[in-house]
Amino acid sequence: MDDTYDGVLAVLQRYISPVNARALLVRALKEEGVSHQNLTPDGLRRCSGALRRGLGLFVSQSQREAALRDITEFCGSDSIAPAGCRLEIRQEMDIGRVRAEARRICGSMGTTSFVMQRVATIVSELARNMVLYANGGFVDIMPASSGPKRIVVRAEDRGSGIRNLDEIMSGRYKSRTGMGKGLLGTKRLADHFEIETNARGTRVVAEVKV
C-alpha cells in the first residue's frame, strides 16, 4: 500500500468515519482510473472533483475545503488544486475541445451542474466568435488564484476589433449571422465581465462564482 494513499486516507478519517473515508477514496480513484499504488500529485489532481463531491455528502463546505487543504499540505504540493488550461482556437472542432476542458476544470473544482453549464456556454460562445469573426486566438480557463472561489475565462483573438461594441452590448445590434449575441449572452451568464477591443484584436474576461 502506497504511503501517499495511506496519508490521504488518514486525513479523510479526521473528518469522516474510517469506513466512509476508505470507500470515498477508493471510489474517487476508480472513477478516474487512478491506481492507489504509487499515487502521484497528478493522480490526486485528477481525483479532486470526485473527492470534493464525496466529502460534500458527509461534511459542510468549510469542512470539505479544510480536508482538501490538509491533503495538499500533507502532499507538500498543490496536488489537489485544479489545473487550468490554455487552448488555441483555429477551427470549428476547437469549440468542442475548449468546452470539454471547461467541463473538466469545473468537475475538478466540484462545481454544480448549473455552474458547469454556464462556464461551458461562455467558452463555447467566445471560441465560436473567434472562429467566425476573427483570425483565431486563445482561450484560458483557470481557477482564480485569490479572493472568492471562481472560474476565470480569458479569451484573446487576433481580429480587427469590434467597431460597434456599444450597440452590441446594449442589445440594439441586429445581424442575420447572429454576431454580437454571443458576447451579450456571455455578459449575462458571467458574474463579472470585461471587454477590450481595438484594431489589433479583442480581449474578454468573464468570471463565474463557484
Side-chain angles (χ1 to χ4, degrees):
M1 192 69 70
D2 185 76
D3 290 342
T4 301
Y5 176 93
D6 286 342
V8 172
L9 184 61
V11 171
L12 292 173
Q13 289 174 354
R14 299 176 197 165
Y15 296 87
I16 58 180
S17 73
V19 171
N20 287 334
R22 186 175 297 276
L24 190 160
L25 183 54
V26 168
R27 183 185 180 107
L29 295 174
K30 185 176 180 180
E31 282 184 12
E32 298 300 330
V34 176
S35 171
H36 67 268
Q37 297 176 337
N38 301 316
L39 186 58
T40 64
D42 183 62
L44 272 178
R45 186 180 297 112
R46 286 165 55 190
C47 296
S48 61
L51 288 173
R52 277 184 168 85
R53 291 191 297 273
L55 280 165
L57 298 174
F58 301 101
V59 298
S60 66
Q61 181 176 349
S62 61
Q63 289 178 308
R64 179 187 67 186
E65 296 306 318
L68 295 173
R69 284 194 299 271
D70 285 350
I71 292 173
T72 297
E73 183 177 346
F74 164 76
C75 294
S77 72
D78 62 350
S79 60
I80 158 116
C85 75
R86 160 167 273 215
L87 289 179
E88 185 172 10
I89 307 299
R90 291 182 176 180
Q91 53 193 332
E92 189 77 22
M93 65 180 294
D94 295 327
I95 299 173
R97 289 175 56 235
V98 75
R99 187 180 180 90
E101 280 299 300
R103 290 184 174 277
R104 177 190 68 79
I105 292 170
C106 286
S108 71
M109 295 179 71
T111 71
T112 65
S113 58
F114 178 64
V115 167
M116 183 180 291
Q117 185 60 37
R118 286 170 65 192
V119 176
T121 301
I122 285 171
V123 299
S124 295
E125 294 297 333
L126 295 176
R128 184 172 290 107
N129 278 353
M130 289 181 181
V131 172
L132 294 177
Y133 311 117
N135 297 315
F138 292 88
V139 174
D140 297 295
I141 313 168
M142 66 206 87
S145 58
S146 62
K149 191 175 179 183
R150 62 201 189 282
I151 297 173
V152 180
V153 177
R154 182 172 58 239
E156 298 180 80
D157 69 41
R158 300 184 289 262
S160 57
I162 305 172
R163 289 187 293 273
N164 52 345
L165 181 62
D166 290 341
E167 191 178 2
I168 288 173
M169 299 313 296
S170 68
R172 301 193 310 272
Y173 183 72
K174 304 294 182 183
S175 169
R176 291 180 181 178
T177 64
M179 183 177 180
K181 293 182 179 179
L183 285 176
L184 189 56
T186 295
K187 181 178 181 180
R188 289 170 175 166
L189 286 169
D191 294 304
H192 175 75
F193 178 88
E194 297 176 8
I195 183 167
E196 300 174 6
T197 187
N198 55 47
R200 295 186 301 274
T202 300
R203 179 178 182 271
V204 176
V205 176
E207 298 182 1
V208 177
K209 295 177 182 176
V210 175

